[in-house]
Amino acid sequence: MNFSDLGLAEPLLRAVRDQGYDVPTPIQVQAIPAVLQGGDLLAGAQTGTGKTAGFTLPMLQRLTEAKPLRDSRGRIAIRALVLTPTRELAAQVEESVRAYGKYLPLTSMVMFGGVGMQPQIDRLKKGVDILVATPGRLLDHHAQGTLDLSQVQILVLDEADRMLDMGFIHDIKKVLAALPPKKQSLLFSATFSDEIKALADRLLNQPALIEVARRNATAETIAQKVHPVGREKKKDLLAHLIRQGDWHQVLVFTRMKHGANRLAEFLNEQGISAMAIHGNKSQGARTKALAEFKAGTLQVLVATDIAARGIDIDQLPHVVNFELPNVPEDYVHRIGRTGRAGASGEAISLVCLDEDIFLRDIERLIKRDIPVQVIPGFAPAPGEKAEPIVLGRMTIGVGGTRRNAGGGQGAPRGGRPGGGGGARPQGQGAGQGSGGQRNQSGGQRTSSGPSPRGSSSGHGGGRAAQGPRGPRR
Ligand code: AMP
């Protein structure tokens, strides 16, 4: 399959050639013809799949095929709006719009908060065909009357799940209310929570459904490894690995904010430069940590899952799960930060006995066993026993039970030999896969590819049917 087989016009094919792309990625093969047809689209794809070109190329083509519009003041009217969760992503997407549209007479603009309004107002006055924006600043302009969204024909919600994670749902609803009801809407999301499904139901009309495999579900370029470790020895093991391996750019994940802070403090005491980023940190502190980390002056960035999803860092040599996530899909997100585009990467998990239940869920999701390597001196002590993990109000019990810490209903997980069972406190994860999405949205599947939810929705899948695993160590 070539780009020219997808129905793209010559100026776009030339721009694609300039980028050095030879063949379209799976999401592009499916999304480009679907968008060119003019219908709505619901796409399950995350960063690294080539999704940006997947919506940008056909969007540019549709805009050139239709006639340019003028707004009430005679300026070029905004005909396409792309919403993104972060300013970094907005900037990247607009850069792609310019790169792919370089041989077309279309104009674009990026708009996000944290910078002055006036230059954006001045730019808007000149007229823009394609606006790439974060929701908050977009609404600021709309409220001030400096932005006319009445002629938008194509709407893209990029990384919709991240937008919801970051609390943008009300802003998104306000933006939708400001747009014409008749338009082509494209929604991209790596995951499909109930909230995303509700948004898709509200926004999309008979959408084409496209799913591509999570890029790293089977990525061969990522060397995954588990180091069994005594609960109290984790910090020392991490410092040991960083020193032994002479690691200079390590992204470390913890489950909780306070754990991230404590770990960063410990590493600094050990002479390893580290900063924690999480929701309680100011935007300034996060930007600074990220800039230093990217520049290579900060050795270790410690992050929680939510914080890491709000920032753009990728292609790292080392990702460490200091604690395994209780939601197995988060493991795939985390390790996806390494080993992109053929670069080799390493994803290390430090697993104490308490976390075996999480590990089993993860291995079931990714459909493979992660190789185990004991680092001498750091293994759990012979008498060490698994203890329950407390996550907020949830206690995840030894042996796969989960119960409410407030003393509520004990709930052994049925039907799962081996007793694995990560808790999903807010209904994330299992059982909300693409099946529900298909039913609710009433669209047509255009893909025969694997579900991005992997095997998580079917608890009978994978090794679950094979009975309990033997002890790992
Ligand atoms: P995205 O998922 O849109 O963030 O894209 C991930 C990376 O893949 C970007 O650096 C793109 O430039 C690159 N890319 C997109 N499409 C292709 C393609 N067909 N061939 C090679 N690289 C691509």
Side-chain angles (χ1 to χ4, degrees):
M1 180 68 79
N2 287 314
F3 277 101
S4 49
D5 300 326
L6 298 176
L8 291 172
E10 174 51 31
L12 289 167
L13 293 174
R14 219 176 340 139
V16 164
R17 272 198 300 275
D18 289 354
Q19 292 295 307
Y21 305 161
D22 296 323
V23 286
T25 65
I27 185 99
Q28 292 162 1
V29 168
Q30 297 171 57
I32 291 171
V35 178
L36 284 178
Q37 279 179 13
D40 286 357
L41 176 68
L42 179 58
Q46 57 184 203
T47 307
T49 52
K51 67 181 167 63
T52 314
F55 65 76
T56 305
L57 289 167
M59 174 180 84
L60 290 167
Q61 177 143 331
R62 283 186 57 76
L63 293 176
T64 31
E65 282 170 353
K67 62 177 188 334
L69 293 174
R70 299 272 159 182
D71 67 13
S72 50
R73 294 170 201 160
R75 304 187 292 225
I76 295 173
I78 298 165
R79 286 187 290 152
L81 173 65
V82 184
L83 284 184
T84 74
T86 63
R87 47 175 96 175
E88 290 92 345
L89 185 61
Q92 274 172 32
V93 169
E94 203 255 345
E95 222 168 83
S96 298
V97 169
R98 272 187 282 127
Y100 304 137
K102 68 197 236 194
Y103 300 117
L104 297 173
L106 295 169
T107 55
S108 62
M109 169 185 178
V110 63
M111 175 189 280
F112 46 69
V115 295
M117 293 277 281
Q118 194 55 47
Q120 296 176 347
I121 293 171
D122 295 343
R123 178 68 193 83
L124 285 168
K125 279 184 184 156
K126 292 186 186 141
V128 177
D129 293 288
I130 301 149
L131 177 62
V132 185
T134 53
R137 178 53 64 94
L138 184 86
L139 287 171
D140 290 345
H141 279 284
H142 191 254
Q144 289 194 17
T146 45
L147 180 67
D148 182 353
L149 295 173
S150 67
Q151 306 205 51
V152 169
Q153 298 170 335
I154 303 177
L155 169 70
V156 182
L157 297 185
D158 193 13
E159 304 204 357
D161 51 348
R162 265 170 78 177
M163 283 199 262
L164 298 193
D165 283 348
M166 293 169 76
F168 284 139
I169 186 66
H170 295 297
D171 285 353
I172 291 173
K173 284 181 180 165
K174 281 189 211 156
V175 175
L176 295 183
L179 297 174
K182 191 169 170 296
K183 60 188 171 298
Q184 181 178 19
S185 301
L186 319 176
L187 190 153
F188 285 76
S189 185
T191 56
F192 289 98
S193 62
D194 285 344
E195 244 185 327
I196 290 283
K197 283 186 267 172
L199 180 64
D201 278 346
R202 177 193 169 115
L203 177 67
L204 304 176
N205 180 25
Q206 299 270 304
L209 299 184
I210 290 179
E211 299 171 359
V212 293
R214 282 174 176 277
R215 68 173 190 260
N216 289 314
T218 56
E220 298 306 323
T221 49
I222 301 174
Q224 300 175 58
K225 213 185 283 175
V226 163
H227 294 313
V229 59
R231 191 181 304 108
E232 306 305 327
K233 298 178 195 162
K234 272 197 179 188
K235 287 180 179 166
D236 291 318
L237 175 56
L238 178 62
H240 170 84
L241 290 170
I242 292 171
R243 282 201 204 98
Q244 286 292 108
D246 198 18
W247 295 349
H248 287 283
Q249 211 181 25
V250 195
L251 178 62
V252 177
F253 283 95
T254 61
R255 276 190 295 265
M256 312 287 267
K257 293 171 198 169
H258 53 266
N261 284 337
R262 279 203 306 266
L263 184 57
E265 275 165 29
F266 171 83
L267 292 172
N268 282 312
E269 284 161 18
Q270 297 283 310
I272 297 168
S273 66
M275 280 195 221
I277 50 160
H278 50 66
N280 288 3
K281 299 265 174 174
S282 68
Q283 179 67 36
R286 285 171 44 173
T287 309
K288 178 169 177 287
L290 189 60
E292 291 185 16
F293 186 62
K294 280 182 172 169
T297 50
L298 177 69
Q299 217 172 334
V300 180
L301 196 61
V302 187
T304 55
D305 290 285
I306 297 284
R309 293 187 77 195
I311 56 175
D312 291 298
I313 26 172
D314 250 318
Q315 287 173 297
L316 294 166
H318 306 283
V319 169
V320 176
N321 294 304
F322 184 76
E323 291 159 331
L324 283 181
N326 53 306
V327 177
E329 285 83 354
D330 284 344
Y331 176 84
V332 182
H333 270 293
R334 289 178 177 190
I335 72 165
R337 305 289 185 167
T338 183
R340 275 185 75 186
S344 63
E346 191 176 37
I348 301 276
S349 299
L350 311 187
V351 183
C352 69
L353 291 169
D354 316 340
E355 296 172 299
D356 266 357
I357 53 173
F358 299 154
L359 183 58
R360 290 177 191 200
D361 269 4
I362 289 164
E363 292 184 329
R364 200 167 287 148
L365 174 68
I366 64 174
K367 296 198 176 108
R368 63 202 274 180
D369 285 355
I370 305 170
V372 174
Q373 186 190 4
V374 176
I375 307 290
F378 292 96
E384 196 169 326
K385 290 208 165 45
E387 286 179 9
I389 292 173
V390 178
L391 288 170
R393 291 177 56 239
M394 184 87 75
T395 302
I396 302 183
V398 183
T401 57
R402 59 178 174 166
R403 60 182 177 270
N404 193 303
Q409 318 109 3
R413 265 181 111 98
R416 303 195 69 180
R424 297 175 181 87
Q426 278 145 20
Q428 314 169 47
Q432 296 170 18
S434 52
Q437 161 202 335
R438 190 176 352 172
N439 295 338
Q440 289 193 18
S441 301
Q444 291 188 333
R445 178 168 302 271
T446 60
S447 160
S448 56
S451 157
R453 308 297 298 191
S455 60
S456 67
S457 57
H459 280 180
R463 278 200 318 265
Q466 295 172 13
R469 290 187 77 182
R472 293 189 66 85
R473 46 185 92 92

